[in-house]
């Protein structure tokens, strides 16, 4: 029986990608703000209807670049229910993550917890749009304004998501996204830093490229560039992004209709005008239920993933210790089940049936 993984990358028609490779072979330009990168950034800006998209080598570097560009030094309030990269980026930039609890339904950081944990050392808020579900942007932006804090949104999963008629990336000071192989828009590895602020965008471009402004070195920068091969993949895949999202919607709704009959599981509450169906997380009543279900799926060669486990506030190497009961409980009881555009509907039915059977009692 063929294995079913939590995700598979979207693959465009190979000839559309090799067409771009021919150009690379002709020009010999592989990196350094080349023509394909410029075109990809322009097309992303048009797609998102936003002024500034700065592509980088991955979604982790994107967060680091955002922290650097905003010159944050101190405590950054963030969620413990995220991929480790979010908190790693904070630590690599010599800031301290302050983990505050999440809403157990939306799975996103709670604005009232953010507000409660602001101290004289707080310099910023790093919200994560978990599984593409937008944070409570209005409240977070307003808390930040009142307290003179910067806001970064880690939108690693959130390409294509809209809030109040605008891309989710248009809120806060800077948003970041990942174009990793496992993401809806993939460039092998890749990511972007997105802002509506022109001078910040210029600074992000400088920092991405060793601190150069033209031929002059003006800042301490680093190497965060995206290659032309990645940009080529992005250009091709962007054309298919809406189709990918539509296909995932069909599969997502199929899961939802089949699994809703199961009284012992629940689902993420989505708060978005236009969602992207980036994951299908299932929340169990207990960790035992999760482990039993996972074992049943594994026996049928189906490999879901425990995104995100453990809750980051429980890891010893983060300096500030805080409890976050909602996040700790959710991290122990949530499982992302397979969902990708090339998955067939029979496989969705099979995965859902195994979950229903494992939770009948
Ligand atoms: N912020 C958030 C909230 C994030 O979730 C992430 C990354 C980031 C920031 C940082 O963005 P990047 O620096 O990664 O651009 C995966 C991804 O590596 C990671 O991008 C993602 N989030 C995280 C949630 O998941 P793993 O350890 O689960 O990946 P892996 O290799 O086990 O892959 C999962 C499944 O995908 C496999 O079962 C098979 C399939 N797969 C994977 C790869 C790499 C493929 O079919 N082809 C592939 O090339 O981390």
């Amino acid at each position: 029986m063929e294995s079913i993984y939590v995700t598979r990358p979207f693959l465009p028609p190979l000839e559309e990608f090799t067409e771009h490779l021919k150009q690379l072979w002709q020009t010999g330009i592989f990196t350094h703000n080349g023509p394909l990168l410029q075109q990809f950034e322009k097309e992303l800006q048009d797609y998102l209807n936003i002024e500034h998209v700065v592509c980088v080598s991955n979604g982790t570097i994107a967060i680091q670049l955002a922290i650097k560009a905003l010159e944050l030094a101190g405590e950054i309030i963030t969620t413990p229910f995220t991929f480790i990269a979010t908190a790693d980026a904070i630590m690599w930039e010599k800031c301290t993550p302050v983990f505050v609890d999440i809403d157990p339904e939306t799975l996103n950081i709670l604005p009232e917890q953010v507000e409660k944990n602001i101290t004289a050392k707080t310099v910023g808020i790093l919200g994560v749009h978990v599984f593409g579900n937008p944070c409570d942007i209005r409240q977070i932006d307003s808390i930040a304004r009142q307290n003179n804090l910067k806001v970064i949104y880690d939108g690693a999963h959130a390409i294509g998501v809209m809030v109040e008629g605008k891309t989710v990336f248009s809120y806060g000071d800077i948003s970041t996204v990942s174009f990793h192989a496992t993401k809806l828009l993939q460039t092998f590895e890749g990511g972007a830093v997105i802002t509506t602020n022109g001078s910040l965008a210029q600074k992000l471009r400088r920092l991405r490229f060793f601190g150069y402004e033209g031929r002059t070195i003006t800042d301490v920068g680093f190497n965060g560039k995206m290659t032309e091969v990645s940009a080529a993949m992005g250009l091709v895949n962007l054309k298919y992004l809406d189709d990918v999202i539509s296909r995932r919607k069909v599969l997502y709704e199929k899961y939802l209709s089949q699994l809703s009959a199961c009284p012992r599981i629940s689902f993420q509450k989505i708060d978005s005008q236009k969602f992207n169906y980036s994951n299908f997380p299932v929340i169990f009543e207990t960790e035992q239920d999760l482990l039993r279900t996972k074992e049943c799926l594994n026996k049928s060669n189906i490999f879901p993933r425990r995104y995100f486990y453990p809750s980051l506030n429980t890891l010893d190497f983060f300096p500030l210790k805080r409890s976050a009961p909602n996040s700790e409980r959710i991290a122990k009881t949530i499982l992302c089940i397979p969902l990708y555009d090339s998955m067939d509907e029979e496989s969705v039915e099979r995965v859902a049936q195994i979950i229903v059977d494992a939770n009948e009692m």
Side-chain angles (χ1 to χ4, degrees):
M1 200 186 300
E2 207 181 313
S3 298
I4 302 179
Y5 297 99
V6 67
T7 192
R8 299 299 289 169
F10 168 73
L11 287 172
L14 182 59
E15 55 284 5
E16 292 189 25
F17 179 61
T18 51
E19 203 45 48
H20 284 298
L21 291 186
K22 282 185 198 156
Q23 185 182 333
L24 288 189
W25 257 245
Q26 278 157 12
T27 63
I29 294 175
F30 294 167
T31 183
H32 282 200
N33 206 22
L36 292 174
L37 178 78
Q38 288 183 37
Q39 195 186 338
F40 182 42
E41 288 184 344
K42 162 89 179 55
E43 292 193 13
L44 273 170
Q45 283 161 192
D46 292 346
Y47 177 84
L48 297 168
N49 194 18
I50 198 161
E51 293 93 324
H52 308 287
V53 174
V54 180
C55 286
V56 294
S57 44
N58 60 62
T60 310
I61 287 288
I63 304 169
Q64 287 183 239
L65 203 52
I67 296 171
K68 260 200 205 321
L70 294 169
E71 299 178 15
L72 301 185
E75 293 181 357
I76 298 181
I77 297 179
T78 192
T79 171
F81 188 68
T82 181
F83 191 55
I84 184 71
T86 314
D88 281 345
I90 294 175
M91 294 287 282
W92 273 74
E93 292 310 316
K94 304 272 181 279
C95 291
T96 308
V98 177
F99 296 116
V100 306
D101 214 354
I102 58 162
D103 179 313
E105 293 189 333
T106 65
L107 311 182
N108 284 329
I109 196 165
L110 278 166
E112 54 269 34
Q113 287 292 323
V114 171
E115 198 160 25
K116 234 172 86 182
N117 283 279
I118 294 172
T119 69
K121 291 186 192 156
T122 311
V123 290
I125 304 168
L126 204 175
V128 178
H129 305 307
V130 173
F131 306 134
N133 193 26
C135 291
D136 191 339
I137 282 162
R138 287 279 162 237
Q139 285 225 55
I140 292 174
D141 282 4
S142 140
I143 293 168
R145 260 194 314 276
Q146 282 163 26
N147 293 278
N148 202 19
L149 301 175
K150 300 291 183 192
V151 181
I152 299 169
Y153 288 114
D154 175 354
H157 314 151
I159 188 84
V161 172
M162 311 259 294
V163 175
E164 294 179 10
K166 294 199 286 189
T167 167
V168 72
F169 301 140
S170 49
Y171 300 89
D173 293 284
I174 296 182
S175 293
T176 65
V177 62
S178 166
F179 302 139
H180 181 259
T182 53
K183 300 297 183 290
L184 273 62
L185 176 62
Q186 62 90 8
T187 62
F188 303 109
E189 286 270 1
V193 196
I194 301 165
T195 179
T196 53
N197 177 326
S199 60
L200 204 47
Q202 213 179 334
K203 184 170 183 184
L204 289 163
R205 289 182 188 285
R206 285 201 302 274
L207 296 181
R208 171 183 70 172
F209 195 81
F210 312 110
Y212 274 97
E213 176 82 54
R215 295 273 169 209
T216 316
I217 304 165
T218 56
D219 297 86
V220 179
F222 64 19
N223 182 350
K225 289 167 276 144
M226 175 180 271
T227 68
E228 289 287 278
V229 177
S230 284
M233 185 58 122
L235 270 173
V236 176
N237 286 346
L238 186 56
K239 286 192 290 178
Y240 293 96
L241 179 58
D242 286 338
D243 294 343
V244 167
I245 293 175
S246 303
R247 171 72 185 154
R248 296 176 78 104
K249 181 172 195 271
V250 170
L251 301 178
Y252 186 101
E253 286 173 353
K254 195 166 187 60
Y255 265 139
L256 208 52
S257 74
Q258 217 174 321
L259 292 172
S260 295
C262 192
R264 293 169 59 85
I265 59 179
S266 57
F267 310 101
Q268 183 182 28
K269 185 173 152 206
I270 304 301
D271 188 12
S272 162
Q273 203 176 43
K274 183 170 177 278
F275 189 47
N276 68 358
Y277 312 92
S278 96
N279 295 73
F280 197 100
V282 175
I283 304 165
F284 295 87
E285 281 186 1
T286 65
E287 190 172 19
Q288 287 72 18
D289 289 350
L290 177 149
L291 294 172
R292 185 183 62 250
T293 307
K294 187 167 172 277
E295 203 183 309
C296 293
L297 290 166
N298 289 169
K299 276 189 192 142
S300 299
N301 283 338
I302 298 164
F303 300 99
R305 288 295 286 266
R306 295 188 77 176
Y307 298 132
F308 300 107
Y309 177 82
S311 181
L312 299 184
N313 62 307
T314 63
L315 294 175
D316 283 345
F317 48 80
F318 290 116
L320 292 182
K321 307 292 169 229
R322 297 279 158 96
S323 78
N326 293 340
S327 175
E328 288 166 41
R329 180 169 55 79
I330 291 291
K332 283 185 185 148
T333 54
I334 196 165
L335 190 65
C336 283
I337 61 176
L339 179 65
Y340 46 92
D341 64 283
S342 56
M343 192 171 174
D344 55 58
E345 295 184 34
E346 296 70 46
S347 298
V348 169
E349 279 166 21
R350 194 154 65 85
V351 173
Q353 196 55 52
I354 294 170
I355 296 171
V356 170
D357 292 346
N359 290 278
E360 246 172 13
M361 50 191 70

